[in-house]
Amino acid sequence: MSKVQSHNLEKYYVLKKVHYLSAIEDVAGDYLEFGVFTGSSFCHSIRCSQKVRYLNSSVSLTKFFGFDSFSGFGEITAEDQHSFYTDENFDTDLGKVERRVQKVAKNTTFKLVPGFFSDSLSLGPSSLGIEKARIIFVDSDTYSSSSEALTFCESIVQLGAFIILDDYYSYKGSSLKGVTKAFDEFIDHTGIKVRRVFTYGMGGAVFVVSEVKE
């Protein structure tokens, strides 16, 4: 098994766990994924949500939102430069992803939002009818994109929400770069407190919001 396969298997297991936990803890709200790529994780999350509806019927109200340029990273700043984060590795096709998700969605409401985050997230969550986030999955790799994603979520984060950061230990583990820097700024700005509940794969980490600012 390759390292990529191992990472993805652990990621899918983590997604299964957070859907289960948020169901039994009765955390209402929507699922947001930043960095959809081919739609594999997005589809898996929909399946996980469908399978835990027997635990909590309100889970069926969860809407799924996927954000991605579907054309790679675009222009990358000097701060975000990384040998693996290139357009060649992350270019994908919106139409194919849409059809893939449609096959598993059934009676689940979903929306894929194309465009670079600086444009697609500019109007805020209310423009999409998002009031609260149940699960936030940030898989957008760089500091700038992760920062834009987390800033978008500031008004919808809530007690008990799970935040999954797929590249938490990238950039040689530096806390001054990448998603780690963006997440630290997000915590400082919102005043929330979090607890780390899982690590997974080749550098992913999962946090639960344990306290929100009144």
Side-chain angles (χ1 to χ4, degrees):
M1 182 184 298
S2 70
K3 289 182 174 62
V4 172
Q5 290 173 322
S6 176
H7 175 83
N8 286 338
L9 284 175
E10 291 187 38
K11 175 174 63 177
Y12 299 152
Y13 190 42
V14 157
L15 286 168
K16 183 178 181 179
K17 286 180 177 180
V18 298
H19 280 283
Y20 173 84
L21 289 171
S22 61
I24 64 172
E25 291 292 342
D26 197 24
V27 182
D30 297 325
Y31 173 91
L32 290 78
E33 183 169 314
F34 300 91
V36 176
F37 193 34
T38 62
S40 178
S41 298
F42 195 77
C43 288
H44 181 69
S45 270
I46 290 176
R47 293 190 189 97
C48 289
S49 180
Q50 292 168 343
K51 289 179 179 179
V52 297
R53 287 177 182 176
Y54 76 96
L55 293 169
N56 187 333
S57 60
S58 68
V59 170
S60 63
L61 301 176
T62 301
K63 300 186 295 293
F64 286 73
F65 295 88
F67 304 87
D68 201 298
S69 71
F70 297 100
S71 58
F73 289 97
E75 185 177 350
I76 296 180
T77 66
E79 179 184 17
D80 284 339
Q81 290 289 334
H82 190 288
S83 59
F84 188 68
Y85 303 152
T86 65
D87 286 346
E88 290 76 12
N89 287 330
F90 291 94
D91 190 18
T92 188
D93 183 278
L94 173 60
K96 289 181 179 179
V97 177
E98 186 93 33
R99 290 189 292 274
R100 181 178 188 179
V101 178
Q102 191 66 58
K103 288 179 180 179
V104 304
K106 299 178 182 178
N107 58 342
T108 299
T109 301
F110 78 91
K111 183 176 182 61
L112 298 177
V113 183
F116 293 111
F117 292 169
S118 56
D119 298 320
S120 63
L121 304 181
S122 61
L123 297 179
S126 61
S127 66
L128 295 169
I130 305 171
E131 297 181 0
K132 291 293 181 182
R134 177 172 167 243
I135 298 169
I136 299 167
F137 181 19
V138 180
D139 190 9
S140 50
D141 307 318
T142 66
Y143 164 75
S144 57
S145 59
S146 298
S147 179
E148 289 165 342
L150 290 167
T151 297
F152 179 83
C153 296
E154 285 185 359
S155 64
I156 59 174
V157 71
Q158 62 176 319
L159 182 67
F162 284 91
I163 302 174
I164 306 169
L165 306 174
D166 197 64
D167 305 283
Y168 190 68
Y169 297 104
S170 289
Y171 295 94
K172 300 178 181 178
S174 174
S175 62
L176 303 177
K177 289 189 174 185
V179 65
T180 305
K181 177 183 177 182
F183 189 53
D184 287 346
E185 291 177 349
F186 172 73
I187 291 172
D188 288 342
H189 196 260
T190 57
I192 66 170
K193 292 184 179 180
V194 297
R195 297 174 65 193
R196 190 174 69 184
V197 289
F198 308 117
T199 58
Y200 68 93
M202 304 304 165
V206 183
F207 299 83
V208 63
V209 178
S210 58
E211 187 177 322
V212 294
K213 190 174 181 180
E214 296 294 337

